[in-house]
Amino acid sequence: MKKRLTAHDLPDDIDALKALVLQKDLHIDTLAKEVSRLSELVRFFKVRQFYKSSEKHPDQAELFNEPEVEDNSSLRASSDESSSASPKAKSNAGRKPLPKNLPRQRVEHCLPAGEKCDCGSEFKEIGEEVSEQLEIIPAKIIVRQLVRKKYACPGCEGSLKLASMPKQPIPKSIAGPGLLAYIATAKYQDGVPLYRQEKAFERLEVELSRQTMANWMIKGAQLCQPLYNLLQDSLLDSGYVHMDETRVQVLNEVGKTAESHSYMWVRKTGDQKHPVVLFDYAPDRTTQTAMNLLPEFKGFLQTDDYAGYHKIGATEQITHLGCWAHARRKFMDAKKVLPKNKTGKADMALNLIQKLYQIEQHIKDQPPNKRLEIRQTESRRVLEQLKTWLDKSLNSTVPKSKLGEALSYLAKNWEKLQIFTTNGRLNIDNNPVENAIRPFAIGRKNWLFSQSVKGAKASAMLYSLIETAKANGLEPQAYLTDLFRDLPNCDTLEQFEALLPWNHTAS
């Protein structure tokens, strides 16, 4: 520990004393900044631990409400005029009607025969009043018997023939296409681990071990590889891809401990014409892995600021977009560490970012050329305001504070964050792929890990098919049932292409 100075230790020289005081002041200032940073961290961890994790900022609409920003949107003005002329109808309160496509079963309730009114006359039916009640029939398992007829030639005793049958998804297995689809959807869509499904089948008096079902999922996924290849071709040809990654734990992986992390990479097309969502397992999170997932890709790549994407984004054939949701998240963290009911610089940034999102909300259903036109005027104007504020704030903020981190992120990614205004087909953030990852992240909380690399790869394949089916408006279980039934009998490219989600006709 450094010895504290006493009066006897102080120099007699005035200039030396001044230098010593200045040195002390500098040291105190440094310590004050460190205390402030650590206090911020304490508040931040408290908020993250004990408060709701929401990115909503309720004060944004009221803060810094500049007339020149609010009044510059002809689109919003016309929208506001129309809404004032014909006010929005109140959203229907109460219970929503049950889907019309569900089968109905009539249960009639009648008065006892011959019941009479107080006046002595017998009641006569004049109509009916119908109310509906939702009911469910427990899962029903059947055994489908595949009967192959035997034939003999009456002309010669030695000629016998056995009727053929379609190829099965897993040869010599008891698993039918519908059962495979049911298990896959339960695990990868609904997050029900195989050990829980094993118990559920036991209640139905069917013995299916989790090991058996795991092997079925691996073989079923391998069957879908040709279709996955076609989906990947479509994604790479789209010219616009969102990309992200999340951790996954694989217990039995060569060269790695069971506690180490591997990764599930996710790619999604940016356009909605033929949406494709692809999951890929990889043991690492390196730039090379990301590059391997984008072979010969040309176009727009939208990601977060993970360094693994920087080298890809620097290539000549790829334009790398930033994500405004991540930038906003940084300022939300800075907002959270402020004392309660206190506003600060983070609120200004959040308000301006919110204006960008308001513009996007109003133009989301417009064609790309119209979106580009409005972005070039309204969004650019907001960005100019934000850049002016950013340059002014950078020099007056402690770099290691939460606000300093947010400002640094914004400044570092500024060029990439502006690119969305140059093309009407682009998105303002990387949320489309983050939304696609969410079912995986939720499911991971239930099944926790993959037993093997084969299992992780099978999971990636089945997640890909389910999420792509959903993105194209298909019901996942029905789609997987058709795939497991039809894929074993596909021989030509045309047959495989007919099973792509946008070409598929449900049977």
Side-chain angles (χ1 to χ4, degrees), residues 273-290:
K273 184 180 179 182
H274 290 153
V276 176
V277 182
L278 297 182
F279 287 70
D280 291 271
Y281 160 79
D284 55 44
R285 197 186 180 207
T286 62
T287 297
Q288 188 58 51
T289 297

Side-chain angles (χ1 to χ4, degrees), residues 268-340:
K268 186 183 188 301
T269 49
D271 296 327
Q272 294 303 311
K273 184 180 179 182
H274 290 153
V276 176
V277 182
L278 297 182
F279 287 70
D280 291 271
Y281 160 79
D284 55 44
R285 197 186 180 207
T286 62
T287 297
Q288 188 58 51
T289 297
M291 294 178 73
N292 292 341
L293 293 172
L294 296 169
E296 300 180 9
F297 173 71
K298 295 180 181 180
F300 296 99
L301 174 66
Q302 192 157 23
T303 71
D304 56 25
D305 190 41
Y306 171 54
Y309 299 116
H310 292 174
K311 187 175 179 180
I312 303 173
T315 57
E316 187 175 339
Q317 68 270 24
I318 292 178
T319 302
H320 192 191
L321 283 78
C323 172
W324 274 103
H326 280 80
R328 180 175 60 185
R329 205 167 293 157
K330 298 286 185 182
F331 284 103
M332 282 303 304
D333 288 346
K335 168 70 176 174
K336 289 174 182 176
V337 299
L338 289 174
K340 193 174 181 181

Side-chain angles (χ1 to χ4, degrees), residues 10-11 36 40 54 98-99 120 126 163 195 210-211 213 219 239 249 254 308 322 339 354 361 405 417 438 474 495:
L10 295 176
S36 176
E40 264 195 0
S54 171
L98 298 175
I126 59 171
Y195 74 88
R210 69 192 76 176
Q211 185 60 51
M213 289 187 281
K219 291 178 181 178
Q249 188 177 0
V254 177
Q354 180 67 8
Q361 180 64 24
E405 291 175 3
L417 289 168
R438 191 165 291 117
L474 301 179
Q495 289 174 322

